Amino acid sequence: MTAELLQGCSTCTACALAYTRQMVVIARGNPNAELMLIGEAPGAREDATGLPFVGRSGQALDRLLSDVGFDLERDLYVCNAVKCRPPNNRRPKRAELAACRPWLDRQLELVDPDVIVLAGATAVEAILGIKGGMSQLRGRWQHWNQRAVMPVFHPSYLLRNPSDAPGAPLDLTRGDLSAVRRRLCER
Ligand code: URA
Ligand code: SF4
């Protein structure tokens, strides 16, 4: 992570979330990875630690990624569409997404990933500009700025739907992440 991104984000007051956050949550993982995962926004645990996806959703996500063979430190860079926690974990507002977008664009430029995983509808809308149900969107490769993009269910949705039966959201997500891994390994 460049000093400029770190410094710029940590002192950012471009939207109202600056006034309720504890910490700005920028990224974790490897800035040189070929895969970037983008979630929605920090939750309570992320806000307290300054790291993305470290609460219950994050643990669920890490497990799935490890299950399909990713090394969490080496193989991906993890961030969110919005860097500061929305109060009570509400969805980020359009204006907040827009205000935070330059930071996400800077991260995309720095990491320059070949493949992007979009976790949940907010990330899909932010990057691909499409609104829709994740049941329809997930698991289908998309393309954006010369990059392959895979929408997947948000891990908090998986926590609310814990069945591990074949064809259940957890199983589908494992399949989607496996497809991402295959694509990266085949190159
Ligand atoms: N934690 C994050 O960092 N991002 C999310 O989207 C959800 C939980
Ligand atoms: Fe700045 Fe983004 Fe935090 Fe808003 S959410 S204050 S734009 S870093």
Side-chain angles (χ1 to χ4, degrees), residues 39-42 46 52-53 57 80 154:
E40 180 174 295
E46 290 78 17
F53 282 108
S57 291
N80 283 305
H154 193 280

Side-chain angles (χ1 to χ4, degrees), residues 8-19 21 23-26 41-42 81-86 92 95-104:
C9 265
S10 331
T11 54
C12 178
T13 53
C15 82
L17 299 180
Y19 305 100
R21 74 180 176 224
M23 293 188 77
V24 181
V25 177
I26 306 170
V82 152
K83 314 297 180 220
C84 303
R85 182 191 183 198
E96 293 159 353
L97 284 159
C100 214
R101 184 54 185 259
W103 297 125
L104 183 60

